[in-house]
Structures are given as structure tokens and as C-alpha cells.
Amino acid sequence: MQDKFDELRKRYEEVAALGAAGSLLGWDQNVFMPPGGAAARGKVQSVVSEVAHLKFTAPETGALITEVYDWAQAKGQESFEAAFLRAVKRDYDHEVKLPSALVKEFSLATTASFEAWHKAKQASDYSIFAPHLDKVLELSRLKAEALGYAKSPYDALLDMYDPGLNREKLDKVFAELAAGLTPVIKAINERADRVSNEPFKGDFDLPAQLRLSEDILKAMGYDFSRGRLDQSAHPFSTGIVAPHDARITTWTQRDWLPASVYGSMHEGGHALYEQGFPAEFAFTPLASGASLGVHESQSRFWENLIGRSRPFAAWALPLYRKHFPGKFDKYSAEDLYRAANRSEASLVRTEADEVTYNLHVALRYEIETRLLDGSLKVKDAPEFWNAKMQEYLGVKPTKDSEGILQDVHWGFGMIGYFPSYTIGNLISAQLFAALKKDLPDLDARIEHGDFAPVLAWLRRTIHAKGRTLLPEDLLQEAIGEKLSVAPFVDYIKTKYSGLYGF
Ligand code: MG
């Protein structure tokens, strides 16, 4: 049976290598490709992904999985072979359940709807996008039926991004978050001028911003011999062949330093996860995050829990002074800490701070679940959006481009994706609370830029597991907890009541 397993593994290696080629093409597209190459690149990428898809979904793959599955499980739940088979079977079942005609129609519809979204956003005219959103929803319902679900069609879509999560659990999560955070947001809104972000405004040399990011990433433990930092229109990270090559990008804004610093730390957190998979997982389905939510927990952990902490500001101040001579002389570490944590309810999710961010997600969750089950009509969605913004954040868009049209996700057909942002935030707070217990001198370590024990802890509890476990089992094994909202809300309340004095 070992020979059959080896055959399956070799087959998967080829699929993974094609996936890596696709990732590299995508990375290049966003970092170096001349604009004139866009259309041709799209063609190359679609050929590569089609070849990978055909290879993976070939009946031979399915036959091998069926043949070796029990043999692999008999080696023990925790064995490499058992984990490999669980992951590969999950992916295979998922891909073959979707009829190729539906996949094709979905791809055509989302290409058109992405274009329509883009136009609609520019013109701030929802009516351009609405019929496309209708179509995306209709096809998403068909997708959910093909994939199957226990209770709600939404669960089937969610499962693609965050296995094990469902609408029932998320309804509770978002209700608890809204109840916990709305009073905090109100209290902050009433004291808006108490925290200033002045230190981060000004004129910051762009190359110096990148050198600062590099210093921070090196201190975090990001391995530049297996990664690199470049610039792109939006920051991203991509594990081209994890753990051997995991790259990140950031962006720079001359007049606003946090864009590059926190963009780098966020993507650095994602890339540390990818660099932390065991080498034997390379070219297997185990060299991957347990879910999008767990992946996001790693980025948020470094960006917010570490990067916006008081001891981090104390460590970082000399670095800021080194890279921007004279600019930070008059500021203290406390000034830097406060500047990194100014909170303000705003209209745009991608600019939201850690207090308000999850309510941006909550309203998207409420809208997409209702749109999918038909209890909200596409034409009524903008009004619903605006009312919810008012309710949760106390602000209201005056035009749809800064309201319902701001995000690309629905245009791309990504229904069920948004919650993973919030799941990531929740898990990051749970992990941080657990780490503090295991490492009582955590603050002192951060203050000295000694992040090695932090990374070692994440490596051991999360990174080394790759995708061997489902997210809830991973969390249970790592810290003995289920997903929960309270540690995040406690963290926010403690931190921001201190900052704003309420
Ligand atoms: Mg992220």
C-alpha cells in the first residue's frame, strides 16, 4: 500500500508545483509585471490553473484516495499519512462535487460582475452592480446545493474558507461582538480628541520606511533567506512554496507612516506562519493554514496584539528615531503607543481600527446571509447597509461608493469570506491571552525586541501543525479552548478604557 501512497503523493506534488507556479505568476503580476502584460498574464494563469485542476480531479486521483485512505488512518490520527489523506480527500471531494458547467458559469459571471462592480464604484451607482450581484447570489445558491450542507446553504460557502464554522455559531459571535463593542465605540466617539496620532503624520522618506519595516520584520524572526519584501498597490503575502519561499509586500504613504509599518507586520505575520510549516509538508496539502481565520489570526497577532502594544512602542521608538532623524525626538514611547491606537468610527473597513473593524464585518455578514437566503432583496441592500452603519458605528455613508460598493469580495463571488477576518481577530486575542500565561515576562521581552520566545510559542502551538487539524481542533490542542469572543472584547475594553479614560 505504501507504493500507492507514494504514487498519490507524487501526483499531488505535481499539482502543488503547478499551484506554486500560479502563485509566482500572481506575485509577479502584482509586483513587477508591466501593465501591458495583464491580458496575456491572465491567459497564462488560467491555463496553469486549469492543468492543475484537471490533474487533481482526474479519476486516478480519486481511485488512489479511496484505496489508501483506511491504510493511512490506521497509521494513527496524528500520522503524516493520515493527515495528508484527510486534507487531500477534503479538497478532492470539494472540487469534484462542483459540476464543471457551474464552475465555468460562475467564473464568467464573476468576471462580468467584477467589472460591473468596478464601474459602479467609480460612478457610485449601485444599479450598475445590482443585477450582477443577483446573478452571483443565484449561482452561489447552486454552488451550496452542489457542495451540500447540514442546515444553511451559507454553511457550505463558509466551509470553503473556514471548515467547521456555521451560521448558527456566527450569529452568536456577531451578536456578542456587537453587544460588547457598541458601548466602547460610543464612549470613544464622545472622547475622540483624547488620543492623537500626530507623531505618525508628516513627510517620511519612502526608502527609509522600507528599511524600518525590514528591521521590524527581522526582529520578528521573518527569514529573508526564504522570503522577501517588495511594494505593491495593496499589501499581501504569498507562500509560493511554503515553508521555503514565503513572500510579502507592503505599501508606503509619504504622509502616513503606519501604512507601511503595520502593512509589513500584518503580512509578516501571515508569512511567519507559512515559513513555520515543517519542511516535510512542502508540496503537500498540509503546507497551508488551517483556515483563513487561523491565517488571519497570525497577521493580527503581530500587527495589533504585539505591534500596537505599549512595550512594542518602547522598543520601536529608537528605530523610528534611527530611520527618521529628528522627527521623533520630541515624542515619548507613550506618545507612540497612543498614536498607534487612535480609534475613530469611519465608513471604510480597510481603514478601520481594531475596535471598529469587526462591526464592519458584522454588517457584511448580516447582509450576505440575508441576501443568500432571500430575506433581504438585492435592491434593498444599500439602505440596510446604511442603517446598520448608523446603528453600529454612528456614521452613515452619503454615497454607495463609500457604503455597500466599497469592497470587491461580492463582485468576485466571495460570499462567506468576510467572517474569517473577525475569526482571525478573535483567535489572535485568545492566543495572546494564552501566551501571556505561558510567558509571564512577555512585556519585558517585547520591550527588548526579544520576539524569539513569542515566535517559538506560535511555531509550537500553531505553525508546526500546518493543515493537519481542523481549526477548532487546532485551537483546542494549542490552548485548550474553543473559539470565543470574550478574550477579544476584554482586551479591547481594558486597552481603550485606559487610552480614552472611561
Ligand atoms: Mg490578512
Side-chain angles (χ1 to χ4, degrees):
M1 203 53 83
Q2 180 70 44
D3 57 325
K4 295 282 178 196
F5 176 77
D6 293 343
E7 196 184 332
L8 177 63
R9 189 168 173 178
K10 184 170 176 302
R11 178 169 269 275
Y12 193 87
E13 261 174 22
E14 291 169 4
V15 174
L18 288 164
S23 300
L24 186 59
L25 289 167
W27 172 82
D28 173 75
Q29 179 180 32
N30 286 291
V31 176
F32 287 126
M33 188 189 74
R41 177 60 51 89
K43 187 168 177 137
V44 177
Q45 280 171 311
S46 78
V47 170
V48 172
S49 69
E50 177 74 9
V51 172
H53 174 78
L54 287 174
K55 177 133 202 119
F56 185 56
T57 54
E60 294 91 317
T61 312
L64 284 168
I65 292 172
T66 310
E67 254 183 287
V68 275
Y69 192 85
D70 291 341
W71 170 84
Q73 298 312 306
K75 285 186 172 286
Q77 276 287 99
E78 309 220 324
S79 69
F80 171 80
E81 290 86 351
F84 181 101
L85 259 297
R86 286 194 302 270
V88 86
K89 184 176 189 315
R90 206 185 128 75
D91 292 345
Y92 181 81
D93 289 348
H94 180 266
E95 289 211 29
V96 298
K97 269 184 192 168
L98 292 174
S100 56
L102 178 58
V103 173
K104 210 159 239 168
E105 198 183 354
F106 196 79
S107 159
L108 286 173
T110 49
T111 303
S113 102
F114 170 70
E115 270 175 44
W117 165 78
H118 196 72
K119 274 188 206 143
K121 188 178 176 182
Q122 302 231 290
S124 195
D125 182 353
Y126 180 73
S127 72
I128 300 172
F129 180 52
H132 293 273
L133 181 55
D134 246 331
K135 184 73 185 171
V136 165
L137 287 164
E138 180 200 320
L139 294 174
S140 297
R141 286 181 205 112
L142 292 175
K143 227 168 145 174
E145 294 307 323
L147 292 170
Y149 51 85
K151 275 190 177 161
S152 153
Y154 186 77
D155 298 347
L157 305 178
L158 205 53
D159 194 65
M160 297 191 288
Y161 308 112
D162 256 277
L165 211 55
N166 57 47
R167 196 175 162 178
E168 206 177 332
K169 289 182 196 168
L170 281 179
D171 281 346
K172 289 198 191 102
V173 162
F174 283 112
E176 203 179 329
L177 267 174
L181 295 177
T182 316
V184 179
I185 292 168
K186 194 165 173 284
I188 292 173
N189 282 349
E190 286 161 1
R191 299 164 178 79
D193 52 355
R194 293 219 186 156
V195 173
S196 157
N197 54 15
E198 211 48 44
F200 286 138
K201 293 179 182 164
D203 184 22
F204 299 96
D205 178 60
L206 298 183
Q209 292 195 33
L210 291 177
R211 288 195 297 272
L212 169 63
S213 281
E214 275 171 23
D215 279 353
I216 294 172
L217 287 162
K218 277 181 197 153
M220 285 163 60
Y222 179 63
D223 180 354
F224 276 88
S225 76
R226 295 184 288 138
R228 47 180 293 135
L229 172 68
D230 292 280
Q231 287 191 80
S232 57
H234 288 275
F236 69 96
S237 76
T238 175
I240 294 182
V241 184
H244 304 301
D245 184 351
R247 306 181 189 188
I248 58 177
T249 70
T250 191
W251 54 2
T252 46
Q253 292 174 22
R254 248 201 121 93
D255 56 354
W256 180 239
L257 189 54
S260 64
V261 169
Y262 289 104
S264 297
M265 289 190 79
H266 180 100
E267 302 309 334
H270 280 303
L272 283 175
Y273 190 11
E274 300 268 330
Q275 288 187 339
F277 303 143
E280 64 165 338
F281 287 2
F283 298 103
T284 78
L286 305 177
S288 162
S291 67
L292 278 186
V294 174
H295 227 305
E296 190 70 4
S297 78
Q298 298 305 294
S299 56
R300 290 304 212 177
F301 184 94
W302 289 98
E303 177 193 1
N304 290 339
L305 281 299
I306 300 280
R308 294 183 204 273
S309 69
R310 190 174 263 125
F312 184 86
W315 172 70
L317 182 60
L319 272 185
Y320 282 94
R321 287 183 174 154
K322 173 182 127 190
H323 289 289
F324 304 101
K327 283 213 169 74
F328 286 91
D329 289 356
K330 62 175 168 177
Y331 296 120
S332 65
E334 186 65 17
D335 293 332
L336 217 60
Y337 168 65
R338 297 178 73 80
N341 289 292
R342 186 182 150 78
S343 168
E344 188 176 12
S346 69
L347 295 170
V348 180
R349 174 186 62 85
T350 54
E351 288 161 17
D353 53 71
E354 59 178 351
V355 185
T356 55
Y357 192 93
N358 295 299
L359 295 190
H360 286 267
V361 178
L363 87 95
R364 284 155 178 77
Y365 169 73
E366 287 175 53
I367 292 177
E368 67 180 13
T369 47
R370 283 172 163 83
L371 285 172
L372 194 74
D373 72 19
S375 60
L376 176 68
K377 298 274 166 278
V378 165
K379 68 173 170 47
D380 300 325
E383 205 177 311
F384 188 93
W385 178 290
N386 296 346
K388 277 281 165 186
M389 281 298 286
Q390 184 68 52
E391 179 189 336
Y392 285 158
L393 297 167
V395 291
K396 200 173 179 175
T398 51
K399 47 186 185 181
D400 288 335
S401 59
E402 55 189 29
I404 195 166
L405 291 172
Q406 67 182 264
D407 294 305
V408 65
H409 301 59
W410 293 336
F412 266 147
M414 289 151 69
I415 313 279
Y417 187 104
F418 282 119
S420 60
Y421 294 124
T422 286
I423 299 305
N425 289 326
L426 300 183
I427 295 177
S428 70
Q430 289 184 267
L431 292 176
F432 194 77
L435 170 63
K436 260 190 147 158
K437 278 187 202 142
D438 286 356
L439 209 65
D441 62 343
L442 177 61
D443 281 1
R445 302 280 193 153
I446 298 174
E447 205 173 315
H448 291 99
D450 178 15
F451 302 110
V454 177
L455 181 58
W457 188 89
L458 290 173
R459 287 272 192 262
R460 179 167 51 81
T461 54
I462 306 289
H463 303 176
K465 312 286 167 129
R467 198 179 151 222
T468 56
L469 297 168
L470 288 173
E472 55 196 76
D473 299 330
L474 175 67
L475 206 58
Q476 193 67 44
E477 266 198 24
I479 57 171
E481 289 175 20
K482 285 184 166 40
L483 177 73
S484 79
V485 174
F488 179 79
V489 172
D490 289 347
Y491 156 72
I492 293 291
K493 276 188 182 159
T494 308
K495 183 173 173 179
Y496 286 85
S497 59
L499 280 160
Y500 281 85
F502 55 85

